[in-house]
Amino acid sequence: MTQYVKIPKERVGVIIGPKGETKKFIEDKTACQLEIDSESGKIDITCEEDPLKEFRVLETIKAIGRGFSPEKALELLDDEMLMLEIMDLSDVATTPKELQRIKGRIIGRNGRTRELAETLINVKISVYGKTVSILGHPEQNTIIRTAIRMLLDGATHGAVYKFLEKKHQELLQSQLDSVDFF
């Protein structure tokens, strides 16, 4: 079976990589074939044996297409609990100026908000085009989605930082609770 995904043309080169290395690495690691149309940005993914692997490769390609580096996106192939989540900002922002403002709030001054969210919740965030994308485990993605919604709804950065710190503590506590000492 063949899946296909369309990505922005300017990200096609990133998927191919220098001298085709990224494409070759994905194909070798997964035993899938990538057929890339550089003109349209359409990528066909064919994995003969494993439909699940085909889905993971599709998610990896989407992640690169949404602005993640190949190194970050390739983690999707190694960790089956890792999920890509893409939030479309175009329904919230009605003008290009509004979109820029919203993206700026998510990234924060000098990238501080995004960096703090990534560090506290242990996710990766990419703000690209009209989307914000998250790479994390389901519980982590839920937390980040909530924090982004808070920012979109006009919450102060301070309130969002406080929320993230609280969730960070809860994540640490749940990890401690799940460790069996005896």
Side-chain angles (χ1 to χ4, degrees):
M1 196 171 122
T2 299
Q3 297 274 345
Y4 83 92
V5 64
K6 195 166 175 168
I7 65 161
K9 286 185 224 172
E10 66 266 14
R11 298 295 295 168
V12 170
V14 180
I15 289 170
I16 295 170
K19 297 180 183 159
E21 288 172 14
T22 305
K23 176 183 182 272
K24 184 177 179 353
F25 179 82
I26 293 169
E27 289 177 333
D28 290 348
K29 184 176 178 84
T30 61
C32 296
Q33 295 305 133
L34 302 180
E35 195 174 306
I36 301 172
D37 181 346
S38 299
E39 292 299 308
S40 68
K42 181 179 180 237
I43 301 174
D44 291 319
I45 303 158
T46 309
C47 302
E48 295 302 322
E49 292 113 44
D50 191 349
L52 182 61
K53 193 167 276 178
E54 195 170 75
F55 173 75
R56 297 306 282 179
V57 172
L58 181 73
E59 291 290 283
T60 303
I61 300 296
K62 278 186 197 174
I64 295 171
R66 295 299 355 134
F68 286 105
S69 69
E71 295 76 29
K72 289 178 181 176
L74 287 168
E75 289 179 28
L76 282 160
L77 298 175
D78 296 324
D79 182 351
E80 55 192 46
M81 288 302 294
L82 197 62
M83 305 305 260
L84 170 69
E85 189 164 331
I86 302 170
M87 296 173 69
D88 188 355
L89 300 175
S90 61
D91 52 338
V92 180
T94 53
T95 65
K97 189 175 180 180
E98 179 73 6
L99 181 64
Q100 276 307 114
R101 190 184 70 75
I102 287 172
K103 287 166 52 174
R105 282 183 55 79
I106 294 167
I107 295 168
R109 184 172 286 131
N110 297 322
R112 180 167 181 248
T113 303
R114 176 176 50 193
E115 188 180 313
L116 188 73
E118 288 180 334
T119 303
L120 286 175
I121 309 303
N122 195 25
V123 296
K124 292 165 184 64
I125 300 170
S126 174
V127 180
Y128 183 83
K130 296 178 180 176
T131 64
V132 59
S133 303
I134 309 160
L135 273 178
H137 294 135
E139 184 180 5
Q140 297 164 322
N141 286 3
T142 300
I143 294 167
I144 295 301
R145 192 175 345 104
T146 302
I148 291 169
R149 291 252 179 261
M150 289 171 71
L151 288 168
L152 296 178
D153 292 341
T156 65
H157 281 87
V160 174
Y161 297 162
K162 201 177 273 186
F163 167 77
L164 290 171
E165 301 232 354
K166 179 178 178 241
K167 291 298 181 182
H168 172 72
Q169 292 303 322
E170 289 174 11
L171 285 172
L172 287 177
Q173 189 60 50
S174 71
Q175 287 172 350
L176 278 176
D177 291 347
S178 67
V179 174
D180 191 9
F181 291 105
F182 300 102

PDB file of all heavy atoms in Angstrom, residues 4-40:
ATOM      1  N   TYR A   4       0.533   8.915   0.765  1.00  0.00           N
ATOM      2  CA  TYR A   4       1.239  10.084   0.268  1.00  0.00           C
ATOM      3  C   TYR A   4       0.926  11.275   1.155  1.00  0.00           C
ATOM      4  O   TYR A   4      -0.083  11.334   1.852  1.00  0.00           O
ATOM      5  CB  TYR A   4       0.903  10.375  -1.205  1.00  0.00           C
ATOM      6  CG  TYR A   4      -0.362  11.151  -1.420  1.00  0.00           C
ATOM      7  CD1 TYR A   4      -0.328  12.540  -1.497  1.00  0.00           C
ATOM      8  CD2 TYR A   4      -1.583  10.501  -1.536  1.00  0.00           C
ATOM      9  CE1 TYR A   4      -1.498  13.255  -1.681  1.00  0.00           C
ATOM     10  CE2 TYR A   4      -2.751  11.214  -1.724  1.00  0.00           C
ATOM     11  CZ  TYR A   4      -2.705  12.592  -1.789  1.00  0.00           C
ATOM     12  OH  TYR A   4      -3.858  13.304  -1.961  1.00  0.00           O
ATOM     13  N   VAL A   5       1.846  12.215   1.138  1.00  0.00           N
ATOM     14  CA  VAL A   5       1.693  13.444   1.902  1.00  0.00           C
ATOM     15  C   VAL A   5       2.245  14.576   1.046  1.00  0.00           C
ATOM     16  O   VAL A   5       3.156  14.371   0.245  1.00  0.00           O
ATOM     17  CB  VAL A   5       2.426  13.355   3.277  1.00  0.00           C
ATOM     18  CG1 VAL A   5       3.913  13.207   3.098  1.00  0.00           C
ATOM     19  CG2 VAL A   5       2.108  14.546   4.150  1.00  0.00           C
ATOM     20  N   LYS A   6       1.638  15.728   1.195  1.00  0.00           N
ATOM     21  CA  LYS A   6       2.109  16.898   0.468  1.00  0.00           C
ATOM     22  C   LYS A   6       2.705  17.855   1.491  1.00  0.00           C
ATOM     23  O   LYS A   6       2.076  18.151   2.512  1.00  0.00           O
ATOM     24  CB  LYS A   6       0.948  17.549  -0.277  1.00  0.00           C
ATOM     25  CG  LYS A   6       1.403  18.520  -1.304  1.00  0.00           C
ATOM     26  CD  LYS A   6       0.292  18.894  -2.258  1.00  0.00           C
ATOM     27  CE  LYS A   6       0.885  19.949  -3.123  1.00  0.00           C
ATOM     28  NZ  LYS A   6       0.317  20.383  -4.227  1.00  0.00           N
ATOM     29  N   ILE A   7       3.914  18.297   1.248  1.00  0.00           N
ATOM     30  CA  ILE A   7       4.584  19.213   2.170  1.00  0.00           C
ATOM     31  C   ILE A   7       4.967  20.492   1.431  1.00  0.00           C
ATOM     32  O   ILE A   7       5.004  20.500   0.188  1.00  0.00           O
ATOM     33  CB  ILE A   7       5.830  18.562   2.812  1.00  0.00           C
ATOM     34  CG1 ILE A   7       6.888  18.267   1.751  1.00  0.00           C
ATOM     35  CG2 ILE A   7       5.474  17.295   3.572  1.00  0.00           C
ATOM     36  CD1 ILE A   7       8.254  18.077   2.338  1.00  0.00           C
ATOM     37  N   PRO A   8       5.261  21.574   2.159  1.00  0.00           N
ATOM     38  CA  PRO A   8       5.699  22.802   1.486  1.00  0.00           C
ATOM     39  C   PRO A   8       6.951  22.541   0.637  1.00  0.00           C
ATOM     40  O   PRO A   8       7.861  21.834   1.077  1.00  0.00           O
ATOM     41  CB  PRO A   8       6.005  23.752   2.651  1.00  0.00           C
ATOM     42  CG  PRO A   8       5.197  23.238   3.799  1.00  0.00           C
ATOM     43  CD  PRO A   8       5.142  21.744   3.611  1.00  0.00           C
ATOM     44  N   LYS A   9       6.982  23.106  -0.571  1.00  0.00           N
ATOM     45  CA  LYS A   9       8.091  22.870  -1.498  1.00  0.00           C
ATOM     46  C   LYS A   9       9.442  23.233  -0.892  1.00  0.00           C
ATOM     47  O   LYS A   9      10.439  22.560  -1.153  1.00  0.00           O
ATOM     48  CB  LYS A   9       7.882  23.661  -2.787  1.00  0.00           C
ATOM     49  CG  LYS A   9       6.814  23.087  -3.674  1.00  0.00           C
ATOM     50  CD  LYS A   9       6.762  23.842  -4.975  1.00  0.00           C
ATOM     51  CE  LYS A   9       5.320  24.110  -5.327  1.00  0.00           C
ATOM     52  NZ  LYS A   9       5.147  24.981  -6.454  1.00  0.00           N
ATOM     53  N   GLU A  10       9.460  24.288  -0.059  1.00  0.00           N
ATOM     54  CA  GLU A  10      10.746  24.710   0.515  1.00  0.00           C
ATOM     55  C   GLU A  10      11.289  23.722   1.553  1.00  0.00           C
ATOM     56  O   GLU A  10      12.428  23.825   1.965  1.00  0.00           O
ATOM     57  CB  GLU A  10      10.666  26.123   1.115  1.00  0.00           C
ATOM     58  CG  GLU A  10       9.770  26.260   2.329  1.00  0.00           C
ATOM     59  CD  GLU A  10       8.348  26.693   1.998  1.00  0.00           C
ATOM     60  OE1 GLU A  10       7.943  26.651   0.815  1.00  0.00           O
ATOM     61  OE2 GLU A  10       7.641  27.065   2.945  1.00  0.00           O
ATOM     62  N   ARG A  11      10.467  22.739   1.962  1.00  0.00           N
ATOM     63  CA  ARG A  11      10.927  21.717   2.921  1.00  0.00           C
ATOM     64  C   ARG A  11      11.345  20.418   2.232  1.00  0.00           C
ATOM     65  O   ARG A  11      11.890  19.530   2.882  1.00  0.00           O
ATOM     66  CB  ARG A  11       9.826  21.415   3.949  1.00  0.00           C
ATOM     67  CG  ARG A  11       9.409  22.589   4.808  1.00  0.00           C
ATOM     68  CD  ARG A  11      10.479  23.104   5.709  1.00  0.00           C
ATOM     69  NE  ARG A  11      10.864  22.136   6.722  1.00  0.00           N
ATOM     70  CZ  ARG A  11      11.938  22.247   7.496  1.00  0.00           C
ATOM     71  NH1 ARG A  11      12.745  23.269   7.376  1.00  0.00           N
ATOM     72  NH2 ARG A  11      12.219  21.321   8.395  1.00  0.00           N
ATOM     73  N   VAL A  12      11.116  20.304   0.924  1.00  0.00           N
ATOM     74  CA  VAL A  12      11.468  19.086   0.188  1.00  0.00           C
ATOM     75  C   VAL A  12      12.969  18.810   0.289  1.00  0.00           C
ATOM     76  O   VAL A  12      13.396  17.682   0.535  1.00  0.00           O
ATOM     77  CB  VAL A  12      11.013  19.164  -1.291  1.00  0.00           C
ATOM     78  CG1 VAL A  12      11.596  18.025  -2.111  1.00  0.00           C
ATOM     79  CG2 VAL A  12       9.495  19.149  -1.368  1.00  0.00           C
ATOM     80  N   GLY A  13      13.783  19.851   0.121  1.00  0.00           N
ATOM     81  CA  GLY A  13      15.231  19.699   0.204  1.00  0.00           C
ATOM     82  C   GLY A  13      15.697  19.173   1.555  1.00  0.00           C
ATOM     83  O   GLY A  13      16.687  18.438   1.641  1.00  0.00           O
ATOM     84  N   VAL A  14      14.974  19.531   2.612  1.00  0.00           N
ATOM     85  CA  VAL A  14      15.327  19.065   3.955  1.00  0.00           C
ATOM     86  C   VAL A  14      15.078  17.560   4.060  1.00  0.00           C
ATOM     87  O   VAL A  14      15.869  16.835   4.672  1.00  0.00           O
ATOM     88  CB  VAL A  14      14.516  19.831   5.035  1.00  0.00           C
ATOM     89  CG1 VAL A  14      14.885  19.356   6.428  1.00  0.00           C
ATOM     90  CG2 VAL A  14      14.736  21.332   4.916  1.00  0.00           C
ATOM     91  N   ILE A  15      14.005  17.082   3.447  1.00  0.00           N
ATOM     92  CA  ILE A  15      13.701  15.644   3.481  1.00  0.00           C
ATOM     93  C   ILE A  15      14.727  14.864   2.646  1.00  0.00           C
ATOM     94  O   ILE A  15      15.162  13.793   3.045  1.00  0.00           O
ATOM     95  CB  ILE A  15      12.259  15.372   3.007  1.00  0.00           C
ATOM     96  CG1 ILE A  15      11.302  15.874   4.079  1.00  0.00           C
ATOM     97  CG2 ILE A  15      12.041  13.892   2.704  1.00  0.00           C
ATOM     98  CD1 ILE A  15       9.879  15.915   3.696  1.00  0.00           C
ATOM     99  N   ILE A  16      15.119  15.428   1.530  1.00  0.00           N
ATOM    100  CA  ILE A  16      16.124  14.767   0.693  1.00  0.00           C
ATOM    101  C   ILE A  16      17.467  14.782   1.425  1.00  0.00           C
ATOM    102  O   ILE A  16      18.150  13.767   1.501  1.00  0.00           O
ATOM    103  CB  ILE A  16      16.219  15.442  -0.691  1.00  0.00           C
ATOM    104  CG1 ILE A  16      14.892  15.244  -1.445  1.00  0.00           C
ATOM    105  CG2 ILE A  16      17.399  14.890  -1.480  1.00  0.00           C
ATOM    106  CD1 ILE A  16      14.766  16.049  -2.714  1.00  0.00           C
ATOM    107  N   GLY A  17      17.827  15.930   1.992  1.00  0.00           N
ATOM    108  CA  GLY A  17      19.081  16.054   2.732  1.00  0.00           C
ATOM    109  C   GLY A  17      20.270  16.249   1.813  1.00  0.00           C
ATOM    110  O   GLY A  17      20.168  16.098   0.596  1.00  0.00           O
ATOM    111  N   PRO A  18      21.439  16.570   2.423  1.00  0.00           N
ATOM    112  CA  PRO A  18      22.643  16.760   1.605  1.00  0.00           C
ATOM    113  C   PRO A  18      23.002  15.462   0.871  1.00  0.00           C
ATOM    114  O   PRO A  18      23.104  14.410   1.488  1.00  0.00           O
ATOM    115  CB  PRO A  18      23.729  17.129   2.612  1.00  0.00           C
ATOM    116  CG  PRO A  18      23.094  17.128   3.962  1.00  0.00           C
ATOM    117  CD  PRO A  18      21.657  16.752   3.824  1.00  0.00           C
ATOM    118  N   LYS A  19      23.130  15.555  -0.442  1.00  0.00           N
ATOM    119  CA  LYS A  19      23.464  14.391  -1.295  1.00  0.00           C
ATOM    120  C   LYS A  19      22.478  13.242  -1.110  1.00  0.00           C
ATOM    121  O   LYS A  19      22.831  12.076  -1.249  1.00  0.00           O
ATOM    122  CB  LYS A  19      24.883  13.919  -1.021  1.00  0.00           C
ATOM    123  CG  LYS A  19      25.931  14.955  -1.356  1.00  0.00           C
ATOM    124  CD  LYS A  19      27.312  14.455  -1.084  1.00  0.00           C
ATOM    125  CE  LYS A  19      28.327  15.542  -1.361  1.00  0.00           C
ATOM    126  NZ  LYS A  19      29.589  15.327  -0.684  1.00  0.00           N
ATOM    127  N   GLY A  20      21.234  13.558  -0.735  1.00  0.00           N
ATOM    128  CA  GLY A  20      20.201  12.531  -0.590  1.00  0.00           C
ATOM    129  C   GLY A  20      20.319  11.694   0.681  1.00  0.00           C
ATOM    130  O   GLY A  20      19.657  10.667   0.824  1.00  0.00           O
ATOM    131  N   GLU A  21      21.151  12.138   1.628  1.00  0.00           N
ATOM    132  CA  GLU A  21      21.440  11.332   2.822  1.00  0.00           C
ATOM    133  C   GLU A  21      20.221  11.102   3.720  1.00  0.00           C
ATOM    134  O   GLU A  21      20.040   9.995   4.232  1.00  0.00           O
ATOM    135  CB  GLU A  21      22.562  11.984   3.637  1.00  0.00           C
ATOM    136  CG  GLU A  21      23.917  11.869   2.976  1.00  0.00           C
ATOM    137  CD  GLU A  21      24.990  12.684   3.682  1.00  0.00           C
ATOM    138  OE1 GLU A  21      24.760  13.131   4.826  1.00  0.00           O
ATOM    139  OE2 GLU A  21      26.059  12.874   3.079  1.00  0.00           O
ATOM    140  N   THR A  22      19.395  12.129   3.946  1.00  0.00           N
ATOM    141  CA  THR A  22      18.248  11.975   4.847  1.00  0.00           C
ATOM    142  C   THR A  22      17.243  10.992   4.256  1.00  0.00           C
ATOM    143  O   THR A  22      16.775  10.080   4.947  1.00  0.00           O
ATOM    144  CB  THR A  22      17.582  13.341   5.121  1.00  0.00           C
ATOM    145  OG1 THR A  22      18.573  14.245   5.622  1.00  0.00           O
ATOM    146  CG2 THR A  22      16.473  13.216   6.145  1.00  0.00           C
ATOM    147  N   LYS A  23      16.937  11.157   2.985  1.00  0.00           N
ATOM    148  CA  LYS A  23      16.015  10.247   2.296  1.00  0.00           C
ATOM    149  C   LYS A  23      16.539   8.811   2.368  1.00  0.00           C
ATOM    150  O   LYS A  23      15.819   7.880   2.720  1.00  0.00           O
ATOM    151  CB  LYS A  23      15.831  10.680   0.842  1.00  0.00           C
ATOM    152  CG  LYS A  23      14.966   9.744   0.007  1.00  0.00           C
ATOM    153  CD  LYS A  23      14.923  10.232  -1.448  1.00  0.00           C
ATOM    154  CE  LYS A  23      14.057   9.368  -2.303  1.00  0.00           C
ATOM    155  NZ  LYS A  23      14.717   8.226  -2.898  1.00  0.00           N
ATOM    156  N   LYS A  24      17.813   8.641   2.058  1.00  0.00           N
ATOM    157  CA  LYS A  24      18.427   7.308   2.077  1.00  0.00           C
ATOM    158  C   LYS A  24      18.391   6.715   3.494  1.00  0.00           C
ATOM    159  O   LYS A  24      18.084   5.531   3.664  1.00  0.00           O
ATOM    160  CB  LYS A  24      19.867   7.379   1.553  1.00  0.00           C
ATOM    161  CG  LYS A  24      20.537   6.017   1.462  1.00  0.00           C
ATOM    162  CD  LYS A  24      21.922   6.144   0.867  1.00  0.00           C
ATOM    163  CE  LYS A  24      22.695   4.854   0.757  1.00  0.00           C
ATOM    164  NZ  LYS A  24      22.175   3.666   1.322  1.00  0.00           N
ATOM    165  N   PHE A  25      18.667   7.548   4.497  1.00  0.00           N
ATOM    166  CA  PHE A  25      18.654   7.073   5.885  1.00  0.00           C
ATOM    167  C   PHE A  25      17.262   6.551   6.257  1.00  0.00           C
ATOM    168  O   PHE A  25      17.128   5.477   6.827  1.00  0.00           O
ATOM    169  CB  PHE A  25      19.077   8.194   6.852  1.00  0.00           C
ATOM    170  CG  PHE A  25      19.051   7.774   8.286  1.00  0.00           C
ATOM    171  CD1 PHE A  25      20.121   7.079   8.833  1.00  0.00           C
ATOM    172  CD2 PHE A  25      17.955   8.064   9.095  1.00  0.00           C
ATOM    173  CE1 PHE A  25      20.099   6.670  10.159  1.00  0.00           C
ATOM    174  CE2 PHE A  25      17.923   7.658  10.415  1.00  0.00           C
ATOM    175  CZ  PHE A  25      18.994   6.961  10.958  1.00  0.00           C
ATOM    176  N   ILE A  26      16.224   7.322   5.910  1.00  0.00           N
ATOM    177  CA  ILE A  26      14.844   6.907   6.217  1.00  0.00           C
ATOM    178  C   ILE A  26      14.521   5.600   5.492  1.00  0.00           C
ATOM    179  O   ILE A  26      13.967   4.677   6.080  1.00  0.00           O
ATOM    180  CB  ILE A  26      13.832   8.012   5.840  1.00  0.00           C
ATOM    181  CG1 ILE A  26      14.012   9.235   6.750  1.00  0.00           C
ATOM    182  CG2 ILE A  26      12.396   7.495   5.932  1.00  0.00           C
ATOM    183  CD1 ILE A  26      13.247  10.471   6.308  1.00  0.00           C
ATOM    184  N   GLU A  27      14.878   5.521   4.215  1.00  0.00           N
ATOM    185  CA  GLU A  27      14.602   4.304   3.441  1.00  0.00           C
ATOM    186  C   GLU A  27      15.340   3.094   4.009  1.00  0.00           C
ATOM    187  O   GLU A  27      14.759   2.017   4.154  1.00  0.00           O
ATOM    188  CB  GLU A  27      14.976   4.519   1.968  1.00  0.00           C
ATOM    189  CG  GLU A  27      14.038   5.466   1.250  1.00  0.00           C
ATOM    190  CD  GLU A  27      14.434   5.740  -0.189  1.00  0.00           C
ATOM    191  OE1 GLU A  27      15.636   5.654  -0.519  1.00  0.00           O
ATOM    192  OE2 GLU A  27      13.544   6.051  -0.993  1.00  0.00           O
ATOM    193  N   ASP A  28      16.611   3.275   4.362  1.00  0.00           N
ATOM    194  CA  ASP A  28      17.405   2.156   4.896  1.00  0.00           C
ATOM    195  C   ASP A  28      16.885   1.709   6.262  1.00  0.00           C
ATOM    196  O   ASP A  28      16.790   0.519   6.541  1.00  0.00           O
ATOM    197  CB  ASP A  28      18.884   2.542   5.021  1.00  0.00           C
ATOM    198  CG  ASP A  28      19.561   2.700   3.662  1.00  0.00           C
ATOM    199  OD1 ASP A  28      18.966   2.291   2.643  1.00  0.00           O
ATOM    200  OD2 ASP A  28      20.683   3.244   3.633  1.00  0.00           O
ATOM    201  N   LYS A  29      16.548   2.667   7.109  1.00  0.00           N
ATOM    202  CA  LYS A  29      16.105   2.352   8.472  1.00  0.00           C
ATOM    203  C   LYS A  29      14.741   1.651   8.489  1.00  0.00           C
ATOM    204  O   LYS A  29      14.477   0.826   9.342  1.00  0.00           O
ATOM    205  CB  LYS A  29      16.048   3.639   9.301  1.00  0.00           C
ATOM    206  CG  LYS A  29      15.694   3.421  10.754  1.00  0.00           C
ATOM    207  CD  LYS A  29      15.770   4.732  11.518  1.00  0.00           C
ATOM    208  CE  LYS A  29      15.383   4.568  12.942  1.00  0.00           C
ATOM    209  NZ  LYS A  29      16.463   4.104  13.801  1.00  0.00           N
ATOM    210  N   THR A  30      13.883   1.994   7.522  1.00  0.00           N
ATOM    211  CA  THR A  30      12.501   1.510   7.578  1.00  0.00           C
ATOM    212  C   THR A  30      12.144   0.489   6.493  1.00  0.00           C
ATOM    213  O   THR A  30      11.061  -0.087   6.543  1.00  0.00           O
ATOM    214  CB  THR A  30      11.521   2.693   7.434  1.00  0.00           C
ATOM    215  OG1 THR A  30      11.733   3.312   6.158  1.00  0.00           O
ATOM    216  CG2 THR A  30      11.715   3.712   8.545  1.00  0.00           C
ATOM    217  N   ALA A  31      13.018   0.289   5.534  1.00  0.00           N
ATOM    218  CA  ALA A  31      12.730  -0.576   4.383  1.00  0.00           C
ATOM    219  C   ALA A  31      11.504  -0.078   3.606  1.00  0.00           C
ATOM    220  O   ALA A  31      10.749  -0.848   3.028  1.00  0.00           O
ATOM    221  CB  ALA A  31      12.538  -2.033   4.812  1.00  0.00           C
ATOM    222  N   CYS A  32      11.303   1.231   3.630  1.00  0.00           N
ATOM    223  CA  CYS A  32      10.226   1.873   2.861  1.00  0.00           C
ATOM    224  C   CYS A  32      10.861   2.650   1.707  1.00  0.00           C
ATOM    225  O   CYS A  32      12.025   3.005   1.767  1.00  0.00           O
ATOM    226  CB  CYS A  32       9.439   2.846   3.743  1.00  0.00           C
ATOM    227  SG  CYS A  32       8.570   2.056   5.105  1.00  0.00           S
ATOM    228  N   GLN A  33      10.062   2.895   0.683  1.00  0.00           N
ATOM    229  CA  GLN A  33      10.530   3.679  -0.455  1.00  0.00           C
ATOM    230  C   GLN A  33       9.846   5.041  -0.434  1.00  0.00           C
ATOM    231  O   GLN A  33       8.632   5.127  -0.239  1.00  0.00           O
ATOM    232  CB  GLN A  33      10.214   2.968  -1.771  1.00  0.00           C
ATOM    233  CG  GLN A  33      10.932   1.661  -1.970  1.00  0.00           C
ATOM    234  CD  GLN A  33      12.447   1.777  -1.851  1.00  0.00           C
ATOM    235  OE1 GLN A  33      13.046   0.997  -1.195  1.00  0.00           O
ATOM    236  NE2 GLN A  33      13.062   2.761  -2.450  1.00  0.00           N
ATOM    237  N   LEU A  34      10.637   6.100  -0.633  1.00  0.00           N
ATOM    238  CA  LEU A  34      10.102   7.462  -0.743  1.00  0.00           C
ATOM    239  C   LEU A  34      10.253   7.920  -2.181  1.00  0.00           C
ATOM    240  O   LEU A  34      11.353   7.902  -2.730  1.00  0.00           O
ATOM    241  CB  LEU A  34      10.866   8.424   0.173  1.00  0.00           C
ATOM    242  CG  LEU A  34      10.905   8.129   1.663  1.00  0.00           C
ATOM    243  CD1 LEU A  34      11.702   9.200   2.395  1.00  0.00           C
ATOM    244  CD2 LEU A  34       9.505   8.030   2.236  1.00  0.00           C
ATOM    245  N   GLU A  35       9.143   8.325  -2.773  1.00  0.00           N
ATOM    246  CA  GLU A  35       9.176   8.896  -4.116  1.00  0.00           C
ATOM    247  C   GLU A  35       8.798  10.355  -3.982  1.00  0.00           C
ATOM    248  O   GLU A  35       7.665  10.673  -3.599  1.00  0.00           O
ATOM    249  CB  GLU A  35       8.195   8.145  -5.018  1.00  0.00           C
ATOM    250  CG  GLU A  35       8.423   8.414  -6.476  1.00  0.00           C
ATOM    251  CD  GLU A  35       7.546   7.544  -7.346  1.00  0.00           C
ATOM    252  OE1 GLU A  35       7.590   6.308  -7.175  1.00  0.00           O
ATOM    253  OE2 GLU A  35       6.800   8.118  -8.164  1.00  0.00           O
ATOM    254  N   ILE A  36       9.746  11.240  -4.266  1.00  0.00           N
ATOM    255  CA  ILE A  36       9.573  12.666  -3.990  1.00  0.00           C
ATOM    256  C   ILE A  36       9.428  13.452  -5.285  1.00  0.00           C
ATOM    257  O   ILE A  36      10.278  13.364  -6.173  1.00  0.00           O
ATOM    258  CB  ILE A  36      10.777  13.205  -3.178  1.00  0.00           C
ATOM    259  CG1 ILE A  36      10.889  12.440  -1.855  1.00  0.00           C
ATOM    260  CG2 ILE A  36      10.637  14.696  -2.929  1.00  0.00           C
ATOM    261  CD1 ILE A  36      12.134  12.736  -1.052  1.00  0.00           C
ATOM    262  N   ASP A  37       8.345  14.227  -5.385  1.00  0.00           N
ATOM    263  CA  ASP A  37       8.137  15.138  -6.508  1.00  0.00           C
ATOM    264  C   ASP A  37       8.499  16.539  -6.013  1.00  0.00           C
ATOM    265  O   ASP A  37       7.724  17.172  -5.291  1.00  0.00           O
ATOM    266  CB  ASP A  37       6.682  15.081  -6.974  1.00  0.00           C
ATOM    267  CG  ASP A  37       6.411  15.999  -8.151  1.00  0.00           C
ATOM    268  OD1 ASP A  37       7.260  16.876  -8.447  1.00  0.00           O
ATOM    269  OD2 ASP A  37       5.345  15.852  -8.778  1.00  0.00           O
ATOM    270  N   SER A  38       9.680  17.008  -6.379  1.00  0.00           N
ATOM    271  CA  SER A  38      10.179  18.302  -5.896  1.00  0.00           C
ATOM    272  C   SER A  38       9.337  19.475  -6.379  1.00  0.00           C
ATOM    273  O   SER A  38       9.285  20.511  -5.727  1.00  0.00           O
ATOM    274  CB  SER A  38      11.625  18.516  -6.343  1.00  0.00           C
ATOM    275  OG  SER A  38      12.443  17.509  -5.821  1.00  0.00           O
ATOM    276  N   GLU A  39       8.674  19.318  -7.519  1.00  0.00           N
ATOM    277  CA  GLU A  39       7.870  20.405  -8.075  1.00  0.00           C
ATOM    278  C   GLU A  39       6.602  20.653  -7.261  1.00  0.00           C
ATOM    279  O   GLU A  39       6.238  21.792  -6.992  1.00  0.00           O
ATOM    280  CB  GLU A  39       7.493  20.102  -9.525  1.00  0.00           C
ATOM    281  CG  GLU A  39       8.665  20.117 -10.480  1.00  0.00           C
ATOM    282  CD  GLU A  39       9.347  21.480 -10.527  1.00  0.00           C
ATOM    283  OE1 GLU A  39       8.658  22.497 -10.724  1.00  0.00           O
ATOM    284  OE2 GLU A  39      10.579  21.504 -10.352  1.00  0.00           O
ATOM    285  N   SER A  40       5.915  19.580  -6.883  1.00  0.00           N
ATOM    286  CA  SER A  40       4.631  19.732  -6.189  1.00  0.00           C
ATOM    287  C   SER A  40       4.748  19.599  -4.671  1.00  0.00           C
ATOM    288  O   SER A  40       3.866  20.019  -3.939  1.00  0.00           O
ATOM    289  CB  SER A  40       3.636  18.685  -6.699  1.00  0.00           C
ATOM    290  OG  SER A  40       4.047  17.388  -6.295  1.00  0.00           O
TER     291      SER A  40
END
